[in-house]
PDB file of all heavy atoms in Angstrom:
ATOM      1  N   THR B   1       9.785   5.516  21.330  1.00 48.00           N
ATOM      2  CA  THR B   1       8.469   4.868  21.633  1.00 48.00           C
ATOM      3  C   THR B   1       7.284   5.745  21.143  1.00 48.00           C
ATOM      4  O   THR B   1       6.184   5.225  20.764  1.00 48.00           O
ATOM      5  CB  THR B   1       8.351   4.715  23.158  1.00 48.00           C
ATOM      6  OG1 THR B   1       8.669   5.966  23.739  1.00 48.00           O
ATOM      7  CG2 THR B   1       9.270   3.544  23.727  1.00 48.00           C
ATOM      8  N   ASN B   2       7.383   7.090  21.165  1.00 50.00           N
ATOM      9  CA  ASN B   2       6.299   7.898  20.628  1.00 50.00           C
ATOM     10  C   ASN B   2       6.017   7.719  19.102  1.00 50.00           C
ATOM     11  O   ASN B   2       4.966   8.110  18.693  1.00 50.00           O
ATOM     12  CB  ASN B   2       6.622   9.255  20.869  1.00 50.00           C
ATOM     13  CG  ASN B   2       7.922   9.815  20.234  1.00 50.00           C
ATOM     14  OD1 ASN B   2       8.900   9.092  20.279  1.00 50.00           O
ATOM     15  ND2 ASN B   2       7.782  11.053  19.767  1.00 50.00           N
ATOM     16  N   LEU B   3       7.012   7.282  18.327  1.00 46.00           N
ATOM     17  CA  LEU B   3       6.812   6.930  16.931  1.00 46.00           C
ATOM     18  C   LEU B   3       6.416   5.582  16.488  1.00 46.00           C
ATOM     19  O   LEU B   3       6.005   5.323  15.472  1.00 46.00           O
ATOM     20  CB  LEU B   3       8.093   7.396  16.190  1.00 46.00           C
ATOM     21  CG  LEU B   3       8.528   8.780  16.513  1.00 46.00           C
ATOM     22  CD1 LEU B   3      10.046   8.858  15.819  1.00 46.00           C
ATOM     23  CD2 LEU B   3       7.653   9.889  15.946  1.00 46.00           C
ATOM     24  N   ILE B   4       6.681   4.615  17.405  1.00 43.00           N
ATOM     25  CA  ILE B   4       6.488   3.196  17.044  1.00 43.00           C
ATOM     26  C   ILE B   4       5.055   2.861  16.635  1.00 43.00           C
ATOM     27  O   ILE B   4       4.821   2.145  15.809  1.00 43.00           O
ATOM     28  CB  ILE B   4       6.991   2.319  18.131  1.00 43.00           C
ATOM     29  CG1 ILE B   4       8.601   2.476  18.098  1.00 43.00           C
ATOM     30  CG2 ILE B   4       6.615   0.935  17.990  1.00 43.00           C
ATOM     31  CD1 ILE B   4       9.287   1.646  19.277  1.00 43.00           C
ATOM     32  N   LYS B   5       4.036   3.418  17.382  1.00 49.00           N
ATOM     33  CA  LYS B   5       2.671   3.073  17.132  1.00 49.00           C
ATOM     34  C   LYS B   5       2.202   3.348  15.782  1.00 49.00           C
ATOM     35  O   LYS B   5       1.667   2.534  15.026  1.00 49.00           O
ATOM     36  CB  LYS B   5       1.777   3.762  18.208  1.00 49.00           C
ATOM     37  CG  LYS B   5       0.319   3.364  18.011  1.00 49.00           C
ATOM     38  CD  LYS B   5      -0.571   4.052  19.036  1.00 49.00           C
ATOM     39  CE  LYS B   5      -1.998   3.545  18.938  1.00 49.00           C
ATOM     40  NZ  LYS B   5      -2.865   4.172  19.986  1.00 49.00           N
ATOM     41  N   SER B   6       2.560   4.653  15.353  1.00 52.00           N
ATOM     42  CA  SER B   6       2.090   4.939  14.052  1.00 52.00           C
ATOM     43  C   SER B   6       2.919   4.246  12.939  1.00 52.00           C
ATOM     44  O   SER B   6       2.362   3.938  11.904  1.00 52.00           O
ATOM     45  CB  SER B   6       2.306   6.481  13.843  1.00 52.00           C
ATOM     46  OG  SER B   6       3.683   6.886  14.021  1.00 52.00           O
ATOM     47  N   PHE B   7       4.256   3.956  13.198  1.00 45.00           N
ATOM     48  CA  PHE B   7       5.015   3.303  12.336  1.00 45.00           C
ATOM     49  C   PHE B   7       4.442   1.843  11.990  1.00 45.00           C
ATOM     50  O   PHE B   7       4.231   1.374  10.857  1.00 45.00           O
ATOM     51  CB  PHE B   7       6.459   3.179  12.760  1.00 45.00           C
ATOM     52  CG  PHE B   7       7.330   2.227  11.854  1.00 45.00           C
ATOM     53  CD1 PHE B   7       7.787   2.605  10.682  1.00 45.00           C
ATOM     54  CD2 PHE B   7       7.461   0.863  12.367  1.00 45.00           C
ATOM     55  CE1 PHE B   7       8.550   1.788   9.894  1.00 45.00           C
ATOM     56  CE2 PHE B   7       8.290   0.005  11.531  1.00 45.00           C
ATOM     57  CZ  PHE B   7       8.830   0.388  10.426  1.00 45.00           C
ATOM     58  N   PHE B   8       4.111   1.074  13.096  1.00 43.00           N
ATOM     59  CA  PHE B   8       3.684  -0.250  12.994  1.00 43.00           C
ATOM     60  C   PHE B   8       2.289  -0.360  12.264  1.00 43.00           C
ATOM     61  O   PHE B   8       1.900  -1.327  11.646  1.00 43.00           O
ATOM     62  CB  PHE B   8       3.868  -1.075  14.235  1.00 43.00           C
ATOM     63  CG  PHE B   8       5.109  -1.553  14.465  1.00 43.00           C
ATOM     64  CD1 PHE B   8       5.997  -0.967  15.512  1.00 43.00           C
ATOM     65  CD2 PHE B   8       5.680  -2.582  13.760  1.00 43.00           C
ATOM     66  CE1 PHE B   8       7.216  -1.446  15.643  1.00 43.00           C
ATOM     67  CE2 PHE B   8       6.912  -3.160  13.958  1.00 43.00           C
ATOM     68  CZ  PHE B   8       7.745  -2.493  15.020  1.00 43.00           C
ATOM     69  N   LYS B   9       1.368   0.671  12.645  1.00 47.00           N
ATOM     70  CA  LYS B   9       0.108   0.734  11.985  1.00 47.00           C
ATOM     71  C   LYS B   9       0.267   0.832  10.574  1.00 47.00           C
ATOM     72  O   LYS B   9      -0.372   0.159   9.755  1.00 47.00           O
ATOM     73  CB  LYS B   9      -0.704   1.931  12.583  1.00 47.00           C
ATOM     74  CG  LYS B   9      -2.106   2.058  12.097  1.00 47.00           C
ATOM     75  CD  LYS B   9      -2.937   3.222  12.678  1.00 47.00           C
ATOM     76  CE  LYS B   9      -4.279   3.237  12.059  1.00 47.00           C
ATOM     77  NZ  LYS B   9      -4.937   4.500  12.659  1.00 47.00           N
ATOM     78  N   SER B  10       1.145   1.738  10.073  1.00 50.00           N
ATOM     79  CA  SER B  10       1.431   1.895   8.618  1.00 50.00           C
ATOM     80  C   SER B  10       2.052   0.627   8.021  1.00 50.00           C
ATOM     81  O   SER B  10       1.772   0.168   7.010  1.00 50.00           O
ATOM     82  CB  SER B  10       2.295   3.192   8.384  1.00 50.00           C
ATOM     83  OG  SER B  10       2.691   3.233   7.109  1.00 50.00           O
ATOM     84  N   TYR B  11       2.976   0.049   8.850  1.00 46.00           N
ATOM     85  CA  TYR B  11       3.622  -1.165   8.434  1.00 46.00           C
ATOM     86  C   TYR B  11       2.637  -2.259   8.157  1.00 46.00           C
ATOM     87  O   TYR B  11       2.761  -2.986   7.097  1.00 46.00           O
ATOM     88  CB  TYR B  11       4.655  -1.629   9.517  1.00 46.00           C
ATOM     89  CG  TYR B  11       5.553  -2.852   9.062  1.00 46.00           C
ATOM     90  CD1 TYR B  11       6.829  -2.429   8.696  1.00 46.00           C
ATOM     91  CD2 TYR B  11       5.126  -4.023   9.194  1.00 46.00           C
ATOM     92  CE1 TYR B  11       7.767  -3.439   8.305  1.00 46.00           C
ATOM     93  CE2 TYR B  11       5.980  -5.036   8.861  1.00 46.00           C
ATOM     94  CZ  TYR B  11       7.386  -4.835   8.435  1.00 46.00           C
ATOM     95  OH  TYR B  11       8.188  -5.835   8.018  1.00 46.00           O
ATOM     96  N   LEU B  12       1.627  -2.476   9.024  1.00 44.00           N
ATOM     97  CA  LEU B  12       0.677  -3.546   8.889  1.00 44.00           C
ATOM     98  C   LEU B  12      -0.251  -3.279   7.700  1.00 44.00           C
ATOM     99  O   LEU B  12      -0.626  -4.177   6.948  1.00 44.00           O
ATOM    100  CB  LEU B  12      -0.100  -3.683  10.067  1.00 44.00           C
ATOM    101  CG  LEU B  12       0.524  -4.343  11.214  1.00 44.00           C
ATOM    102  CD1 LEU B  12      -0.233  -4.132  12.532  1.00 44.00           C
ATOM    103  CD2 LEU B  12       1.010  -5.708  11.057  1.00 44.00           C
ATOM    104  N   ASN B  13      -0.558  -1.973   7.448  1.00 50.00           N
ATOM    105  CA  ASN B  13      -1.497  -1.479   6.406  1.00 50.00           C
ATOM    106  C   ASN B  13      -0.801  -1.760   4.983  1.00 50.00           C
ATOM    107  O   ASN B  13      -1.368  -2.260   4.031  1.00 50.00           O
ATOM    108  CB  ASN B  13      -1.927  -0.096   6.471  1.00 50.00           C
ATOM    109  CG  ASN B  13      -2.867   0.085   7.582  1.00 50.00           C
ATOM    110  OD1 ASN B  13      -3.582  -0.864   8.033  1.00 50.00           O
ATOM    111  ND2 ASN B  13      -3.002   1.338   8.104  1.00 50.00           N
ATOM    112  N   GLU B  14       0.523  -1.405   4.954  1.00 52.00           N
ATOM    113  CA  GLU B  14       1.287  -1.445   3.670  1.00 52.00           C
ATOM    114  C   GLU B  14       2.033  -2.908   3.546  1.00 52.00           C
ATOM    115  O   GLU B  14       2.562  -3.146   2.479  1.00 52.00           O
ATOM    116  CB  GLU B  14       2.402  -0.394   3.667  1.00 52.00           C
ATOM    117  CG  GLU B  14       1.936   1.023   3.737  1.00 52.00           C
ATOM    118  CD  GLU B  14       1.194   1.431   2.437  1.00 52.00           C
ATOM    119  OE1 GLU B  14       1.664   0.929   1.357  1.00 52.00           O
ATOM    120  OE2 GLU B  14       0.299   2.307   2.397  1.00 52.00           O
ATOM    121  N   LYS B  15       1.959  -3.691   4.549  1.00 53.00           N
ATOM    122  CA  LYS B  15       2.649  -4.971   4.451  1.00 53.00           C
ATOM    123  C   LYS B  15       4.079  -4.786   4.366  1.00 53.00           C
ATOM    124  O   LYS B  15       4.795  -5.475   3.583  1.00 53.00           O
ATOM    125  CB  LYS B  15       2.056  -5.939   3.433  1.00 53.00           C
ATOM    126  CG  LYS B  15       0.624  -6.351   3.683  1.00 53.00           C
ATOM    127  CD  LYS B  15      -0.061  -7.289   2.567  1.00 53.00           C
ATOM    128  CE  LYS B  15      -1.414  -7.639   2.822  1.00 53.00           C
ATOM    129  NZ  LYS B  15      -1.918  -8.575   1.855  1.00 53.00           N
ATOM    130  N   GLY B  16       4.545  -3.791   5.059  1.00 60.00           N
ATOM    131  CA  GLY B  16       5.963  -3.331   5.022  1.00 60.00           C
ATOM    132  C   GLY B  16       5.975  -1.848   5.358  1.00 60.00           C
ATOM    133  O   GLY B  16       5.044  -1.119   5.257  1.00 60.00           O
ATOM    134  N   ALA B  17       7.119  -1.391   5.647  1.00 73.00           N
ATOM    135  CA  ALA B  17       7.351   0.036   5.883  1.00 73.00           C
ATOM    136  C   ALA B  17       6.985   0.878   4.677  1.00 73.00           C
ATOM    137  O   ALA B  17       7.352   0.535   3.535  1.00 73.00           O
ATOM    138  CB  ALA B  17       8.839   0.415   6.305  1.00 73.00           C
ATOM    139  N   ASP B  18       6.238   1.953   4.857  1.00 79.00           N
ATOM    140  CA  ASP B  18       5.802   2.794   3.874  1.00 79.00           C
ATOM    141  C   ASP B  18       6.995   3.683   3.312  1.00 79.00           C
ATOM    142  O   ASP B  18       7.461   4.601   4.035  1.00 79.00           O
ATOM    143  CB  ASP B  18       4.664   3.772   4.277  1.00 79.00           C
ATOM    144  CG  ASP B  18       4.050   4.478   3.284  1.00 79.00           C
ATOM    145  OD1 ASP B  18       4.623   4.729   2.168  1.00 79.00           O
ATOM    146  OD2 ASP B  18       2.906   5.022   3.432  1.00 79.00           O
ATOM    147  N   ILE B  19       7.544   3.345   2.103  1.00 85.00           N
ATOM    148  CA  ILE B  19       8.611   4.010   1.564  1.00 85.00           C
ATOM    149  C   ILE B  19       8.271   4.976   0.487  1.00 85.00           C
ATOM    150  O   ILE B  19       9.043   5.166  -0.391  1.00 85.00           O
ATOM    151  CB  ILE B  19       9.664   3.077   1.070  1.00 85.00           C
ATOM    152  CG1 ILE B  19       9.081   2.051  -0.006  1.00 85.00           C
ATOM    153  CG2 ILE B  19      10.282   2.200   2.133  1.00 85.00           C
ATOM    154  CD1 ILE B  19      10.067   1.240  -0.764  1.00 85.00           C
ATOM    155  N   THR B  20       7.093   5.541   0.563  1.00 89.00           N
ATOM    156  CA  THR B  20       6.529   6.566  -0.382  1.00 89.00           C
ATOM    157  C   THR B  20       7.521   7.623  -0.603  1.00 89.00           C
ATOM    158  O   THR B  20       7.880   8.035  -1.713  1.00 89.00           O
ATOM    159  CB  THR B  20       5.093   7.102   0.055  1.00 89.00           C
ATOM    160  OG1 THR B  20       4.225   5.945   0.036  1.00 89.00           O
ATOM    161  CG2 THR B  20       4.640   8.072  -0.975  1.00 89.00           C
ATOM    162  N   PRO B  21       8.165   8.202   0.508  1.00 89.00           N
ATOM    163  CA  PRO B  21       9.135   9.335   0.237  1.00 89.00           C
ATOM    164  C   PRO B  21      10.239   8.864  -0.599  1.00 89.00           C
ATOM    165  O   PRO B  21      10.777   9.685  -1.376  1.00 89.00           O
ATOM    166  CB  PRO B  21       9.584   9.691   1.737  1.00 89.00           C
ATOM    167  CG  PRO B  21       8.383   9.283   2.602  1.00 89.00           C
ATOM    168  CD  PRO B  21       7.850   8.007   2.006  1.00 89.00           C
ATOM    169  N   LEU B  22      10.809   7.689  -0.333  1.00 90.00           N
ATOM    170  CA  LEU B  22      11.945   7.194  -1.146  1.00 90.00           C
ATOM    171  C   LEU B  22      11.571   7.077  -2.587  1.00 90.00           C
ATOM    172  O   LEU B  22      12.322   7.436  -3.472  1.00 90.00           O
ATOM    173  CB  LEU B  22      12.391   5.863  -0.558  1.00 90.00           C
ATOM    174  CG  LEU B  22      13.524   5.202  -1.349  1.00 90.00           C
ATOM    175  CD1 LEU B  22      14.798   6.074  -1.272  1.00 90.00           C
ATOM    176  CD2 LEU B  22      13.861   3.770  -0.897  1.00 90.00           C
ATOM    177  N   LYS B  23      10.402   6.494  -2.878  1.00 92.00           N
ATOM    178  CA  LYS B  23       9.953   6.377  -4.304  1.00 92.00           C
ATOM    179  C   LYS B  23       9.883   7.746  -4.856  1.00 92.00           C
ATOM    180  O   LYS B  23      10.224   7.908  -6.063  1.00 92.00           O
ATOM    181  CB  LYS B  23       8.534   5.645  -4.263  1.00 92.00           C
ATOM    182  CG  LYS B  23       8.602   4.239  -3.873  1.00 92.00           C
ATOM    183  CD  LYS B  23       7.216   3.590  -3.889  1.00 92.00           C
ATOM    184  CE  LYS B  23       7.301   2.080  -3.515  1.00 92.00           C
ATOM    185  NZ  LYS B  23       5.855   1.490  -3.515  1.00 92.00           N
ATOM    186  N   LYS B  24       9.252   8.721  -4.286  1.00 94.00           N
ATOM    187  CA  LYS B  24       9.158  10.131  -4.782  1.00 94.00           C
ATOM    188  C   LYS B  24      10.607  10.676  -4.966  1.00 94.00           C
ATOM    189  O   LYS B  24      10.745  11.317  -6.070  1.00 94.00           O
ATOM    190  CB  LYS B  24       8.418  10.966  -3.820  1.00 94.00           C
ATOM    191  CG  LYS B  24       7.005  10.703  -3.811  1.00 94.00           C
ATOM    192  CD  LYS B  24       6.290  11.556  -2.640  1.00 94.00           C
ATOM    193  CE  LYS B  24       4.771  11.435  -2.699  1.00 94.00           C
ATOM    194  NZ  LYS B  24       4.021  12.270  -1.772  1.00 94.00           N
ATOM    195  N   LEU B  25      11.591  10.490  -4.062  1.00 94.00           N
ATOM    196  CA  LEU B  25      12.883  10.987  -4.264  1.00 94.00           C
ATOM    197  C   LEU B  25      13.564  10.345  -5.482  1.00 94.00           C
ATOM    198  O   LEU B  25      14.195  11.060  -6.264  1.00 94.00           O
ATOM    199  CB  LEU B  25      13.680  10.660  -3.033  1.00 94.00           C
ATOM    200  CG  LEU B  25      15.087  11.179  -2.906  1.00 94.00           C
ATOM    201  CD1 LEU B  25      15.054  12.638  -2.863  1.00 94.00           C
ATOM    202  CD2 LEU B  25      15.798  10.572  -1.742  1.00 94.00           C
ATOM    203  N   ILE B  26      13.380   9.030  -5.677  1.00 93.00           N
ATOM    204  CA  ILE B  26      14.057   8.375  -6.826  1.00 93.00           C
ATOM    205  C   ILE B  26      13.416   8.850  -8.095  1.00 93.00           C
ATOM    206  O   ILE B  26      14.042   9.168  -9.164  1.00 93.00           O
ATOM    207  CB  ILE B  26      13.898   6.916  -6.769  1.00 93.00           C
ATOM    208  CG1 ILE B  26      14.673   6.417  -5.360  1.00 93.00           C
ATOM    209  CG2 ILE B  26      14.521   6.163  -7.833  1.00 93.00           C
ATOM    210  CD1 ILE B  26      16.055   6.693  -5.284  1.00 93.00           C
ATOM    211  N   HIS B  27      12.082   8.966  -8.168  1.00 95.00           N
ATOM    212  CA  HIS B  27      11.346   9.502  -9.333  1.00 95.00           C
ATOM    213  C   HIS B  27      11.770  10.927  -9.658  1.00 95.00           C
ATOM    214  O   HIS B  27      11.844  11.300 -10.806  1.00 95.00           O
ATOM    215  CB  HIS B  27       9.770   9.413  -9.016  1.00 95.00           C
ATOM    216  CG  HIS B  27       9.175   8.062  -9.402  1.00 95.00           C
ATOM    217  ND1 HIS B  27       8.901   7.665 -10.734  1.00 95.00           N
ATOM    218  CD2 HIS B  27       8.751   7.068  -8.641  1.00 95.00           C
ATOM    219  CE1 HIS B  27       8.370   6.499 -10.675  1.00 95.00           C
ATOM    220  NE2 HIS B  27       8.365   6.074  -9.426  1.00 95.00           N
ATOM    221  N   PHE B  28      12.019  11.765  -8.580  1.00 95.00           N
ATOM    222  CA  PHE B  28      12.508  13.088  -8.865  1.00 95.00           C
ATOM    223  C   PHE B  28      13.757  13.066  -9.505  1.00 95.00           C
ATOM    224  O   PHE B  28      14.077  13.896 -10.431  1.00 95.00           O
ATOM    225  CB  PHE B  28      12.594  13.786  -7.463  1.00 95.00           C
ATOM    226  CG  PHE B  28      13.238  15.171  -7.583  1.00 95.00           C
ATOM    227  CD1 PHE B  28      12.350  16.277  -7.985  1.00 95.00           C
ATOM    228  CD2 PHE B  28      14.566  15.325  -7.180  1.00 95.00           C
ATOM    229  CE1 PHE B  28      12.995  17.480  -8.160  1.00 95.00           C
ATOM    230  CE2 PHE B  28      15.087  16.704  -7.344  1.00 95.00           C
ATOM    231  CZ  PHE B  28      14.237  17.684  -7.749  1.00 95.00           C
ATOM    232  N   HIS B  29      14.722  12.169  -9.146  1.00 95.00           N
ATOM    233  CA  HIS B  29      16.042  12.245  -9.822  1.00 95.00           C
ATOM    234  C   HIS B  29      16.147  11.487 -11.114  1.00 95.00           C
ATOM    235  O   HIS B  29      17.086  11.633 -11.877  1.00 95.00           O
ATOM    236  CB  HIS B  29      17.088  11.552  -8.833  1.00 95.00           C
ATOM    237  CG  HIS B  29      17.533  12.480  -7.672  1.00 95.00           C
ATOM    238  ND1 HIS B  29      18.166  13.610  -7.847  1.00 95.00           N
ATOM    239  CD2 HIS B  29      17.109  12.505  -6.424  1.00 95.00           C
ATOM    240  CE1 HIS B  29      18.413  14.166  -6.634  1.00 95.00           C
ATOM    241  NE2 HIS B  29      17.736  13.573  -5.721  1.00 95.00           N
ATOM    242  N   TYR B  30      15.155  10.623 -11.381  1.00 96.00           N
ATOM    243  CA  TYR B  30      15.151   9.855 -12.581  1.00 96.00           C
ATOM    244  C   TYR B  30      14.704  10.744 -13.739  1.00 96.00           C
ATOM    245  O   TYR B  30      13.708  11.465 -13.697  1.00 96.00           O
ATOM    246  CB  TYR B  30      14.240   8.593 -12.496  1.00 96.00           C
ATOM    247  CG  TYR B  30      14.104   7.823 -13.763  1.00 96.00           C
ATOM    248  CD1 TYR B  30      15.285   7.118 -14.298  1.00 96.00           C
ATOM    249  CD2 TYR B  30      12.971   7.879 -14.567  1.00 96.00           C
ATOM    250  CE1 TYR B  30      15.147   6.476 -15.471  1.00 96.00           C
ATOM    251  CE2 TYR B  30      12.854   7.188 -15.794  1.00 96.00           C
ATOM    252  CZ  TYR B  30      14.051   6.520 -16.231  1.00 96.00           C
ATOM    253  OH  TYR B  30      13.878   5.789 -17.437  1.00 96.00           O
TER     254      TYR B  30
END
């Protein structure tokens, strides 16, 4: 519950979960 507020705020702003870390990880290995 302590994490949900920030998650959904980001979710609404990005129109989906912010997967910036995943993109960086994939770019790092590519």
Side-chain angles (χ1 to χ4, degrees):
T1 51
N2 60 317
L3 304 172
I4 287 178
K5 185 177 180 181
S6 60
F7 171 79
F8 278 107
K9 184 179 179 181
S10 173
Y11 188 96
L12 292 171
N13 289 337
E14 296 289 329
K15 297 182 179 178
D18 190 337
I19 58 168
T20 301
L22 178 62
K23 291 178 181 179
K24 288 181 179 178
L25 184 66
I26 300 303
H27 275 283
F28 174 79
H29 285 285
Y30 175 70

